[in-house]
Amino acid sequence: MATTTAPASATDRPASLLLWRLLALLYDLFPALALWMLAGTLFTVGYTLSGHAERDNIAPFSALQWLLWLCCWIITGLYATLSWRCGGQTLGMRPWRLQVVTANGTAPSRRQLWLRYAVGTVSVLLGGLGLWWSLVDRQRLTWHDRASGTRMRRLPKR
């Protein structure tokens, strides 16, 4: 009895990890929210201690609020890049067995990881366009994969 094999073109194209990426992003939202709340608390305490009334809020679109947003972005970047640097995974990537590596399978540099994070941020701000790009890309890569020279791979079950 003859066995059939898949055509070569079907095996050349890697599987899409878009669903797994989105689920990992959802999971990573929770530690990020906790870090943002911590940063917001520190800013609020500092704002109150600098002489403002206890019920006074930081003014919308003020320099202090923009600084808070910048701090939240940096804190989230530190969470992501340090997690990727130590094992290639964030907390949200672990249940889905995803790992960030370079094109040749080694650990990425700090520069590559920060570039990945920055381009990923732009991608998310544009409605996830850089993530959706992986559906039409020949190698199933996102914008931040291409820009940073990194890849997302799915680890085998243990």
Side-chain angles (χ1 to χ4, degrees):
M1 181 176 242
T3 59
T4 58
T5 59
S9 61
T11 59
D12 290 344
R13 192 168 185 185
S16 176
L17 298 176
L18 182 61
L19 175 64
W20 306 120
R21 290 175 190 252
L22 293 173
L23 288 170
L25 270 175
L26 177 65
Y27 274 41
D28 280 325
L29 177 64
F30 297 107
L33 280 173
L35 292 169
W36 296 343
M37 283 188 246
L38 179 63
T41 300
L42 294 174
F43 265 73
T44 302
V45 167
Y47 188 72
T48 303
L49 291 177
S50 68
H52 294 86
E54 284 185 30
R55 298 214 180 255
D56 197 10
N57 290 327
I58 298 172
F61 302 107
S62 66
L64 190 59
Q65 189 181 50
W66 285 108
L67 181 62
L68 174 58
W69 279 110
L70 178 63
C71 286
C72 287
W73 184 81
I74 291 170
I75 289 168
T76 307
L78 285 169
Y79 161 73
T81 58
L82 289 173
S83 295
W84 291 331
R85 193 83 174 137
C86 301
Q89 298 175 303
T90 60
L91 290 174
M93 294 166 68
R94 289 179 187 194
W96 309 111
R97 303 184 326 268
L98 299 175
Q99 186 179 39
V100 175
V101 294
T102 61
N104 59 6
T106 60
S109 68
R110 283 186 183 95
R111 182 184 181 285
Q112 285 177 302
L113 295 175
W114 275 103
L115 184 59
R116 178 183 179 80
Y117 177 68
V119 175
T121 300
V122 172
S123 169
V124 169
L125 290 175
L126 293 174
L129 194 56
L131 287 164
W132 299 113
W133 178 259
S134 69
L135 294 175
V136 296
D137 188 88
R138 282 182 162 276
Q139 296 175 313
R140 303 284 189 179
L141 300 176
T142 61
W143 289 352
H144 46 281
D145 289 333
R146 288 219 175 264
S148 65
T150 60
R151 305 287 183 265
M152 184 81 70
R153 72 175 176 191
R154 189 134 194 250
L155 300 171
K157 289 184 179 181
R158 292 186 199 194

